[in-house]
Amino acid sequence: MLRFKVFRNNNSKSSTFGKYYGRAIVGETVDIDKLAVEISARCTVTDSDIVAVIRALVTSMTDHISAGDKVVLDKLGSFRAGISTRPADKPEEFTAANVVGTHIIYHPAVSVGANHKRVTPMIENLKVAKMVAYNDPAEKSEA
């Protein structure tokens, strides 16, 4: 279950200043070792073998993305490199020096569900609920 908290928009320049929004709350952080133990409980592969495969997967993905390839993992999504750039006045003036940063672009896998709508398999059955134990911003008095 994905939990959320309610937050007030305190940006006075925003057209929705003072309105309330929900933000997803991150639960536990799960690393490769924990995933490996969980995966090994579902199959006949040992957790150390799973860790080795995941690390090799990351290395191979890194090599391909660095080469400009797009890596697609079925039911998970695709990964590719993206760049942030500074503009140039003319096309011939644009060079690699205009690239100011790089990042990974992730697109989750999408399929068409029974209702003919696009669904993301990883969150298709996701349920959300409001956090219970926190201070509700609506209860605070505004001075």
Side-chain angles (χ1 to χ4, degrees):
M1 173 97 41
L2 178 65
R3 306 251 184 245
F4 65 87
K5 286 185 180 181
V6 178
F7 289 86
R8 182 172 189 254
N9 178 355
N10 292 320
N11 181 353
S12 60
K13 296 179 182 178
S14 170
S15 63
T16 58
F17 173 70
K19 302 281 186 190
Y20 293 88
Y21 291 90
R23 287 189 190 153
I25 301 303
V26 175
E28 178 182 353
T29 298
V30 180
D31 62 10
I32 289 176
D33 292 328
K34 181 164 175 65
L35 288 173
V37 169
E38 292 173 357
I39 293 168
S40 70
R42 294 184 171 110
C43 64
T44 60
V45 181
T46 67
D47 56 333
S48 58
D49 289 337
I50 292 166
V51 168
V53 169
I54 292 172
R55 289 196 173 130
L57 172 66
V58 171
T59 300
S60 290
M61 287 179 66
T62 301
D63 292 346
H64 281 283
I65 291 169
S66 295
D69 299 336
K70 177 167 112 174
V71 176
V72 178
L73 300 177
D74 296 343
K75 297 187 182 182
L76 179 62
S78 65
F79 302 80
R80 65 183 176 90
I83 59 174
S84 301
T85 64
R86 284 183 287 114
D89 292 328
K90 299 176 186 172
E92 59 273 7
E93 293 175 355
F94 192 94
T95 68
N98 292 75
V99 176
V100 294
T102 59
H103 53 273
I104 296 291
I105 298 171
Y106 166 69
H107 290 281
V110 176
S111 61
V112 178
N115 59 2
H116 303 292
K117 291 188 177 180
R118 294 167 52 98
V119 294
T120 303
M122 289 180 66
I123 59 170
E124 183 175 10
N125 298 313
L126 181 69
K127 306 277 189 264
V128 296
K130 188 175 183 179
M131 280 291 286
V132 177
Y134 79 103
N135 294 328
D136 189 335
E139 295 175 1
K140 291 182 182 177
S141 61
E142 307 244 341

